[in-house]
Amino acid sequence: AVAAAESQIGVPYVWAAESPGHGFDCSGLTAWAWGQAGVSLPHYSGAQYEDSAPVPVSDMEPGDLLFYGPGGSEHVAMYVGSGEMIEAPETGQTVHITAVRLGYGFVGVGRP
């Protein structure tokens, strides 16, 4: 799942999109990437939060999902290791790797 997500670095953010090489929103990226690993996830961060097993931050492993907003409803990113995550953050940006954010409405980590 991590390798699939990383293959999309530089692809633009497009709301509600799940289109490799063309555009992704946050949950589209995580759903598509996990789909490449044979795991089906819904295309909505809140539903991904509900479908994931909670994991303590201290036990995060590459591929785990980081959720933001009430019930994980506002944003999802994927942990890639070494304190970094990959995300499709918002209009005008592209899929990229950045430092893990534990503020900004962070609500938890889930393992698909």
Side-chain angles (χ1 to χ4, degrees):
V2 171
E6 288 179 340
S7 76
Q8 300 303 304
I9 288 174
V11 172
Y13 175 94
V14 177
W15 185 81
E18 189 175 327
S19 179
H22 298 285
F24 285 101
D25 67 2
C26 65
S27 60
L29 177 66
T30 54
W32 177 82
W34 269 106
Q36 302 312 294
V39 176
S40 179
L41 290 176
H43 187 153
Y44 167 58
S45 60
Q48 291 180 10
Y49 182 74
E50 291 176 9
D51 286 357
S52 298
V55 175
V57 171
S58 59
D59 292 337
M60 271 194 305
E61 294 179 2
D64 287 346
L65 303 177
L66 294 93
F67 294 97
Y68 301 83
S73 64
E74 293 177 0
H75 187 57
V76 60
M78 181 184 291
Y79 185 64
V80 297
S82 301
E84 294 182 319
M85 64 185 193
I86 190 166
E87 64 179 348
E90 61 188 359
T91 301
Q93 295 198 33
T94 61
V95 174
H96 64 264
I97 292 177
T98 187
V100 166
R101 293 186 304 274
L102 298 180
Y104 307 96
F106 175 75
V107 293
V109 178
R111 184 164 296 153

